[in-house]
Every structure is written in C-alpha cells, then in structure tokens.
Amino acid sequence: MDYVTLAFLVSFSHVLSMTTAVPLPTDAMRIKSKVKRMAEQLVVRLNTNIQAPAGVTLASPADQLDGLSSVVALLDGYNDLISDSLNVSQVKTDISSLKGYLVQWRRGHCSDSKPKPSVSGPLQRLQSQRAFVLTVSMEALMRVKELLGQLLHNMDQLEKC
C-alpha cells in the first residue's frame, strides 16, 4: 500500500466517522423545532399587534400545562374567545395553524384512549364571562401569549399525551 492510498483511506475514514457521529433528528425533535418556530412567530405577532392597556396584568395564575392534549385544548378554547371585532384575524389564523399542527402530531403520537381534557382555571372563568366581549378577548390574547411562553420554556410538554 502506498502513501497516497493510505492517506486517502485515513481521510475517508475520518469523513465517514464525522458524518455518522451526528444523530439524525427524531420526529420529536422535528416537531419541537417546528412548534418552537411557530410559537415564537406568534409571540412576535402578539407583541406587535396587541396593545394591552398600561398596567393591565393577569391576576389569576397561569393555566397548567399537562401534556399535548392540554396545550391543544387551551389554544382552542382561547382562540374561540377572541372576538373578530378586534381585527386580529391573522393571530387567530396562526393559533389555529399551531393547534392544527399539534392535533396532527397527537394523532400520530398518542393513543386516542385518553379523553379530551376538561378546561379549568382562567379559561373556564373567561368562558363564563363571554358577555364582556372586548375584555374577554384581550385577556384571551394575553393568556395565549402566556401559554406560548410556558410552552417555549418547557417543550417536553409535547412528548406527553
């Protein structure tokens, strides 16, 4: 064996070991990446399009995330509470897109034996106050932003059904 062949084999084995050392992304990693990107874009849209009155804060504690099903239920519930009169149709569309993507992931990832989670806490309270359309809509938008923040800080929620 001459030096050129030896050098080629050593280089080739180095390239081969470098390409096989990086694991391919799993479905969970891909879904987390896409959801993260969608959630971050939605937070930016909420920050630029929604101006809550100065000093307004969310009094009650945040909704508790308990896996993928609860994220889907909360996004759906809050999206239903957002009035079309606020001219936030793109925000509602983005929420629906994110929810739809998560529903598709859930179909392929989770068994459907688990019942749809019941809503409680802030979402349930807002649903009982639908008569105050603008106030409920503004709080729902703020809750979506809060929910997305929680999700972005704990993407492992997507792996729990």
Side-chain angles (χ1 to χ4, degrees):
M1 184 181 307
D2 62 353
Y3 289 111
V4 174
T5 306
L6 181 62
F8 174 75
L9 289 175
V10 169
S11 296
F12 181 72
S13 68
H14 178 71
V15 168
L16 185 62
S17 69
M18 294 301 289
T19 59
T20 58
V22 177
L24 295 174
T26 63
D27 283 345
M29 290 172 62
R30 281 195 301 267
I31 189 81
K32 285 181 184 180
S33 175
K34 182 157 183 166
V35 168
K36 181 179 180 188
R37 188 177 69 251
M38 292 172 82
E40 288 172 340
Q41 289 172 347
L42 186 50
V43 168
V44 168
R45 188 176 308 281
L46 285 166
N47 285 336
T48 57
N49 292 342
I50 309 306
Q51 298 301 322
V56 173
T57 59
L58 298 172
S60 58
D63 293 290
Q64 294 300 312
L65 298 184
D66 187 27
L68 187 57
S69 295
S70 70
V71 173
V72 169
L74 289 168
L75 285 172
D76 191 38
Y78 284 127
N79 202 24
D80 286 345
L81 292 172
I82 300 168
S83 172
D84 293 330
S85 66
L86 288 180
N87 292 327
V88 289
S89 59
Q90 188 59 51
V91 169
K92 289 185 64 132
T93 300
D94 290 351
I95 293 170
S96 293
S97 294
L98 177 57
K99 185 198 87 163
Y101 190 72
L102 292 173
V103 166
Q104 271 189 311
W105 168 250
R106 184 177 63 189
R107 282 188 195 131
H109 179 70
C110 302
S111 67
D112 286 334
S113 62
K114 187 176 182 181
K116 183 179 177 183
S118 62
V119 294
S120 61
L123 177 57
Q124 186 178 30
R125 182 184 49 76
L126 279 178
Q127 287 174 333
S128 69
Q129 298 174 343
R130 287 181 188 250
F132 306 103
V133 176
L134 293 179
T135 304
V136 167
S137 293
M138 285 303 294
E139 185 172 341
L141 288 164
M142 292 169 67
R143 292 285 178 186
V144 167
K145 185 176 166 184
E146 180 182 59
L147 170 70
L148 294 172
Q150 285 181 29
L151 182 60
L152 287 168
H153 284 89
N154 191 3
M155 295 295 286
D156 290 339
Q157 289 291 327
L158 299 177
E159 293 182 32
K160 289 176 35 182
C161 293

